[in-house]
Amino acid sequence: MNYGNRFPWVLLLPSLAFASTGAGEATIPHRMMMLVLQLGVILFAARIGGILFEKMRLPGVLGELSLGIVIGPHLLGAIALPGLPQGLFPPASLGLPVSPELYGICSLAAVLLLFSVGLETDLGLFVRYSVVGSLVGLGGVVVSFLAGDLLAVACSSWLFGEPMGFLSGPCLFMGIIMTATSVGITARILSEQRKTESPEGVTILAGAVVDDVLGIILLAVGMGVITASRASGSIDWAHIGVIAGKAVGIWLVATVLGIIAARRIGAVLKSMGNPSVIAVLALGLALILAGLFEEAGLAMIIGAYVMGLSLSRTDVSHLVRERLAPTHALLVPVFFVVMGMFVDLRAFTSPTVILFGLLYTAAAIGAKLLGCGVPALLCRFNPLGALRIGTGMLPRGEVTLIIAGTGVAMGVLTGQLFGVVVFTTLLSSLIAPPVLIRLFRISRSGLKNPVAGESETPLAFAFPSARTTELVLGRLLEVFHSEGFFVHELSRSEQIFQIRKDRSVIGFRRSGRHLTFEVGKDDIPLVNTAMMEVVAELEGIARELAKPMDLSGIGRKVQDEAGSAPGRRELARHLSVSLLFPSLKADTKDGILDELMERVRTDRRVLDVEAARKAVLERESSLSTGMQHGIALPHARTDAVSALVCAVGMKHEGVAFDSIDGIPSRIFVLTLSPKSASAPQISFMSSMSQVLDAEGRQALLAAESPGEMFLALTGIDSSQVRHGILSRRSGMLRVSSADSPAPESLLLPELIEPSLKGVSAGEVIDELLNMYVKAGILSDVTEVRSAIIEREKQMPTGLEHGIAMPHGRTGQIARVQCALGVSRHGVDFGAFDGGLSHIIVLIISPFDSPSAHIRTMATLGRALGERTRERIINAGAAPEIIAAMAAGNG
């Protein structure tokens, strides 16, 4: 078959089915095994390279190319590994540096990349700048071809040992190679910089497409000239003209037809209903058109770009981009890593390659800047815009290497000249992206006469507060979606949206309490009508909410008990020991809030204390956060913090906080989380409510230091905390068995009384203390009794469900001790639920272990479930009580 008029990639296709991955044949399973291993390594290499170069403020694509060079068959890829004697990336057949399978995936990635670029292109701007884009592409090709060919002619005696003419094979190929532009690299840079839809970006892409089409035509012409010269010494210019006309005609006709039929294609895709199906079928169309272009003698990537460009003005374009984003993130980095694998650094050891490579690279850069920049300067652009366009046309890549490979395969180019091409490809691809980024960072327009979007009109709405605006925005998006619009969130952080349906394209953004629309005049009534309906609906909802509601019932449900283990893990990730305060000084609600806000001022995550305080007070004004059982949970979402911040304070005397049950609040949990970033405020507060059950509240109120508070809330000793915040490693989130002894091991038979006689809290405490004396554990109870009674005066130790845990410290013991008694008639220990206590546990701990009693209270509190309490109350002797504790709730 004659491939003279085909794109060079076709020369490689026959090898796809039968080529070996190395020396000798390999089975299909082995080749598939190699493919999956290679892809896995490539994905990691692409990400690592991207991260490294981005940290150096260089484009991530260069990192992907560089890592491809490193892991490719010319360097690390050919090193023998166990089970892989030829390495992970052995050279393939036909001089291809990678396996045909991997090259096939790379080709698919190139199609996806150009399809995505086409989708991102503003068709109106493309048409507006199609003339200048064509002139840019034509100028770049003509000047580059002449520069490359004439430079080769001038250096032919040095390079080839004899003088050569303008139409000689090597000189023609060096000219054709210089014309190629890597639209993939430029498109990636434009996409990352969000300049695809700028006038310069559209012109660059249009010029690159023209550049590729003309380059393919030149390749066909050049190969025809070389073939004819070899065969008969004469050239059939008529046949070559037919080939060139066919290529241009197919490209133009396909583009025009695609644009005309785009809306019908979009309607057919929308009829499929499912967004994922729409995206997949759109990609299928791009693949089909890419294949047809390849069959017609044009590049696959041009067909993919034409399909993307055709669909760019349909209302499904953003949807397709969003749904294909994961596939794009998977395949496109593979493309650039594999392109890096084509580079053989050993070719750079030759002085001829280096010297001529520098000359050839300088000529290539100058030719593109001159050939593309001058037409742009003569049309709509100023010098800055022209320089951006010329720089955007500089990179060489996949097309350059493949054309050079074709020349080597035909015997026209030597290995040294191929090394020159590799040198130019690498250098131009390294120089262009950072320069292009710097040029686009200049805020000035690149146009001589900047044109605003004359078809769009700003339409602004202001609302009473940012919270109201947020509610309106959410409902407005729902309304547009129900009307058949495709809603796209272009920027989450900046809250920029776009809605599209048929010919309507409406962009809008939220800023504080304002919504601003950029809308065509024909769509202004649509936006006003939708806004009126949304506001009317929300006003109706506001009137409904003004009616009496059982807010206390809702608040009580927040503190419904649940398993506390997940809650403790959640708290441990976000609590800071430095933001735990066992003794607040304020005695009013506003005073408590002010004191907590002042305490968090030193936390680096708090960016603006006054703004955060205002947000908390706004939330408090709508509905008090005073819950029940002495807990208050003030909170707010605000961008005055960069991450979730929590401060916990206690006031043992209690402060009126407008709580649900009317009981003064003693525990205050202030939670601040960012509004525009992901932060688990709701789940964190839910976890805090789970942990602060009856036992948890008692354990926390017994704490006398920040470390003890941290232990009571998380079950983790504060000595495990680094830099004030717990490590996120899962191994740090569990208390060891040594720290959490079995509940029954805390009780001695001689410290258990199944039938207490005391009728008051003081009498029961004395009765239990006497048990310590009789057991020889304490010799004098005066000091410890005073501490226990004082603690009871400050804060009663009665829990819910008939449990009380009075406690105190003494220097007479070395480890924590517990005495348990059962009161059949019940004793008033000031329980939160107002009930009498029937199970009283008196905990004595040493002075040098301040957190021991908290750990013990937490252990016993978890053990004293409903069934265990019932067994203890019905027990008649100490062994039965110990057995009940051992059996737990099972």
Side-chain angles (χ1 to χ4, degrees):
M1 182 180 290
N2 178 17
Y3 293 103
N5 63 337
R6 306 289 295 274
F7 186 71
W9 287 1
V10 178
L11 295 172
L12 307 172
L13 296 180
S15 66
L16 291 178
F18 304 108
S20 168
T21 57
E25 295 297 324
T27 63
I28 294 297
H30 174 78
R31 290 167 64 173
M32 293 304 100
M33 177 272 292
M34 289 290 292
L35 178 62
V36 297
L37 286 177
Q38 290 171 345
L39 284 175
V41 172
I42 286 172
L43 290 175
F44 277 97
R47 189 67 195 121
I48 292 170
I51 291 174
L52 291 176
F53 272 65
E54 286 166 2
K55 285 187 175 181
M56 294 186 291
R57 297 185 178 181
L58 292 172
V61 62
L62 294 184
E64 295 165 5
L65 286 168
S66 300
L67 262 291
I69 296 173
V70 173
I71 68 171
H74 303 300
L75 287 177
L76 300 182
I79 297 175
L81 299 172
L84 299 172
Q86 293 183 320
L88 185 59
F89 294 97
S93 60
L94 295 180
L96 204 63
V98 295
S99 68
E101 296 86 4
L102 188 58
Y103 192 81
I105 292 177
C106 182
S107 300
L108 177 62
V111 169
L112 176 61
L113 173 61
L114 268 296
F115 176 55
S116 299
V117 169
L119 286 171
E120 293 176 5
T121 303
D122 187 318
L123 183 58
L125 280 177
F126 184 87
V127 172
R128 185 185 302 172
Y129 292 96
S130 59
V131 174
V132 64
S134 298
L135 292 176
V136 165
L138 178 62
V141 167
V142 171
V143 176
S144 297
F145 173 74
L146 292 175
D149 196 321
L150 292 174
L151 180 63
V153 170
C155 299
S156 58
S157 298
W158 169 41
L159 292 173
F160 312 115
E162 59 177 318
M164 290 190 175
F166 187 83
L167 294 180
S168 62
C171 296
L172 277 176
F173 253 95
M174 295 307 291
I176 295 169
I177 288 169
M178 191 176 283
T179 64
T181 293
S182 176
V183 65
I185 294 176
T186 301
R188 178 79 174 272
I189 299 301
L190 292 173
S191 180
E192 289 178 350
Q193 297 299 309
R194 296 183 181 180
K195 297 297 182 182
T196 302
E197 298 183 6
S198 66
E200 294 94 331
V202 172
T203 302
I204 290 170
L205 293 175
V209 170
V210 173
D211 188 293
D212 275 348
V213 171
L214 295 180
I216 292 166
I217 294 172
L218 272 178
L219 178 63
V221 171
M223 293 178 67
V225 169
I226 294 170
T227 302
S229 298
R230 286 177 174 176
S232 62
S234 61
I235 301 173
D236 187 354
W237 290 105
H239 176 65
I240 292 173
V242 170
I243 295 174
K246 175 184 173 184
V248 174
I250 291 175
W251 168 57
L252 289 176
V253 170
T255 301
V256 172
L257 290 179
I259 293 172
I260 294 174
R263 300 199 181 278
R264 291 189 178 182
I265 296 173
V268 172
L269 292 175
K270 286 189 291 184
S271 68
M272 301 300 170
N274 188 297
S276 296
V277 174
I278 293 174
V280 169
L281 293 181
L283 177 59
L285 290 175
L287 292 172
I288 291 172
L289 192 61
L292 292 176
F293 264 60
E294 180 72 37
E295 177 63 25
L298 291 167
M300 288 190 294
I301 54 177
I302 297 177
Y305 182 80
V306 168
M307 179 53 68
L309 185 66
S310 301
L311 295 178
S312 65
R313 285 294 288 177
T314 65
D315 49 14
V316 298
S317 62
H318 278 285
L319 181 145
V320 173
R321 286 165 54 191
E322 290 169 0
R323 296 288 170 161
L324 291 181
T327 308
H328 188 281
L330 171 69
L331 290 180
V332 172
V334 174
F335 169 77
F336 288 102
V337 172
V338 173
M339 285 302 100
M341 292 181 179
F342 277 71
V343 179
D344 185 358
L345 295 179
R346 292 172 296 184
F348 301 152
T349 58
S350 168
T352 300
V353 170
I354 295 175
L355 182 56
F356 184 68
L358 289 173
L359 292 174
Y360 191 76
T361 301
I365 292 174
K368 285 294 184 183
L369 289 176
L370 183 65
C372 300
V374 171
L377 192 60
L378 295 176
C379 294
R380 295 170 175 257
F381 295 91
N382 59 28
L384 176 61
L387 187 58
R388 287 170 177 167
I389 291 170
T391 305
M393 300 291 285
L394 288 183
R396 269 75 173 180
E398 64 284 356
V399 178
T400 303
L401 295 173
I402 294 173
I403 293 176
T406 302
V408 173
M410 293 180 64
V412 177
L413 297 183
T414 64
Q416 284 190 332
L417 287 180
F418 186 81
V420 168
V421 174
V422 170
F423 184 89
T424 301
T425 300
L426 180 62
L427 202 57
S428 62
S429 297
L430 287 172
I431 291 173
V435 174
L436 186 61
I437 289 174
R438 286 183 177 274
L439 289 173
F440 271 115
R441 284 177 179 170
I442 299 174
S443 58
R444 296 197 309 275
S445 171
L447 296 173
K448 292 179 181 177
N449 300 301
V451 180
E454 63 272 5
S455 63
E456 294 186 343
T457 302
L459 191 62
F461 299 88
F463 299 92
S465 67
R467 186 178 304 170
T468 305
T469 310
E470 190 172 1
L471 289 173
V472 172
L473 173 61
R475 183 59 188 139
L476 191 64
L477 293 176
E478 293 176 4
V479 168
F480 279 125
H481 181 74
S482 65
E483 290 288 326
F485 282 82
F486 288 93
V487 179
H488 312 284
E489 187 176 33
L490 302 183
S491 173
R492 178 181 295 271
S493 60
E494 299 178 17
Q495 291 198 284
I496 302 175
F497 302 85
Q498 185 183 80
I499 57 173
R500 307 182 71 148
K501 181 181 179 182
D502 299 329
R503 297 181 182 276
S504 296
V505 181
I506 302 171
F508 59 99
R509 68 185 302 160
R510 178 204 167 203
S511 178
R513 60 187 189 90
H514 297 273
L515 281 178
T516 305
F517 292 77
E518 292 292 336
V519 58
K521 293 182 179 180
D522 293 340
D523 291 323
I524 290 178
L526 172 69
V527 174
N528 285 328
T529 302
M531 186 64 70
M532 182 179 67
E533 291 300 312
V534 168
V535 172
E537 180 181 350
L538 291 179
E539 284 187 353
I541 294 174
R543 286 192 294 270
E544 291 292 325
L545 289 173
K547 297 177 181 179
M549 294 181 63
D550 183 17
L551 297 178
S552 62
I554 298 173
R556 288 189 180 94
K557 291 179 180 179
V558 172
Q559 290 180 274
D560 283 347
E561 292 190 16
S564 61
R568 290 179 183 277
R569 288 195 293 271
E570 180 71 15
L571 298 185
R573 292 188 179 96
H574 298 286
L575 282 177
S576 170
V577 177
S578 62
L579 294 181
L580 303 179
F581 312 106
S583 183
L584 296 175
K585 297 179 175 57
D587 53 10
T588 64
K589 179 177 179 177
D590 288 345
I592 290 291
L593 292 176
D594 288 341
E595 186 173 354
L596 287 174
M597 292 305 307
E598 190 62 31
R599 298 288 184 98
V600 302
R601 184 182 294 274
T602 57
D603 193 289
R604 59 181 177 82
R605 295 167 296 175
V606 180
L607 308 176
D608 187 338
V609 174
E610 296 308 318
R613 180 182 182 277
K614 181 179 178 182
V616 171
L617 293 179
E618 285 182 357
R619 170 63 183 85
E620 204 66 35
S621 65
S622 61
L623 180 64
S624 176
T625 55
M627 311 306 288
Q628 55 185 351
H629 308 307
I631 297 176
L633 301 173
H635 59 275
R637 282 193 179 274
T638 171
D639 286 328
V641 295
S642 60
L644 191 147
V645 178
C646 177
V648 182
M650 297 190 296
K651 179 75 172 180
H652 293 291
E653 295 83 357
V655 173
F657 216 90
D658 301 322
S659 58
I660 295 170
D661 55 8
I663 296 176
S665 299
R666 295 178 172 85
I667 300 172
F668 308 92
V669 182
L670 173 66
T671 307
L672 303 170
S673 62
K675 184 183 297 185
S676 59
S678 176
Q681 175 177 296
I682 299 299
S683 59
F684 177 82
M685 293 172 61
S686 173
S687 299
M688 183 66 77
S689 297
Q690 293 177 28
V691 169
L692 290 178
D693 55 9
E695 293 82 5
R697 294 192 295 273
Q698 185 67 19
L700 181 60
L701 289 168
E704 298 179 3
S705 68
E708 292 181 16
M709 291 178 66
F710 192 87
L711 176 64
L713 290 169
T714 67
I716 300 169
D717 194 284
S718 60
S719 62
Q720 298 182 14
V721 178
R722 296 181 179 179
H723 307 298
I725 300 177
L726 184 71
S727 168
R728 292 179 178 268
R729 290 163 44 191
S730 59
M732 299 278 289
L733 298 179
R734 296 183 180 178
V735 182
S736 67
S737 58
D739 290 332
S740 297
E744 66 274 13
S745 69
L746 297 171
L747 300 175
L748 299 175
E750 57 268 31
L751 293 180
I752 296 177
E753 176 52 61
S755 182
L756 292 169
K757 298 178 178 60
V759 295
S760 67
E763 291 175 356
V764 167
I765 290 171
D766 288 339
E767 194 172 348
L768 292 174
L769 284 173
N770 288 333
M771 292 168 60
Y772 281 105
V773 175
K774 290 179 181 179
I777 296 174
L778 294 178
S779 58
D780 182 9
V781 298
T782 304
E783 181 184 5
V784 67
R785 184 185 188 280
S786 297
I788 295 171
I789 297 299
E790 183 63 28
R791 185 69 174 175
E792 287 294 322
K793 290 179 180 179
Q794 293 179 353
M795 183 194 65
T797 56
L799 307 178
E800 295 174 310
H801 311 302
I803 300 173
M805 290 189 183
H807 50 274
R809 297 176 185 172
T810 178
Q812 300 179 52
I813 58 175
R815 66 181 183 86
V816 67
Q817 300 283 352
C818 300
L820 186 149
V822 179
S823 174
R824 306 296 174 182
H825 45 74
V827 180
D828 185 6
F829 268 86
F832 280 113
D833 58 4
L836 299 177
S837 299
H838 294 275
I839 300 175
I840 299 94
V841 183
L842 180 63
I843 303 172
I844 307 296
S845 58
F847 282 123
D848 59 357
S849 182
S851 60
H853 71 286
I854 294 179
R855 185 179 292 108
T856 302
M857 290 174 66
T859 301
L860 292 175
R862 287 191 291 271
L864 289 172
E866 181 179 358
R867 186 173 299 180
T868 302
R869 297 195 301 269
E870 182 180 348
R871 289 174 178 172
I872 290 174
I873 291 173
N874 293 328
E880 295 179 26
I881 293 178
I882 293 176
M885 293 291 289
N889 291 321

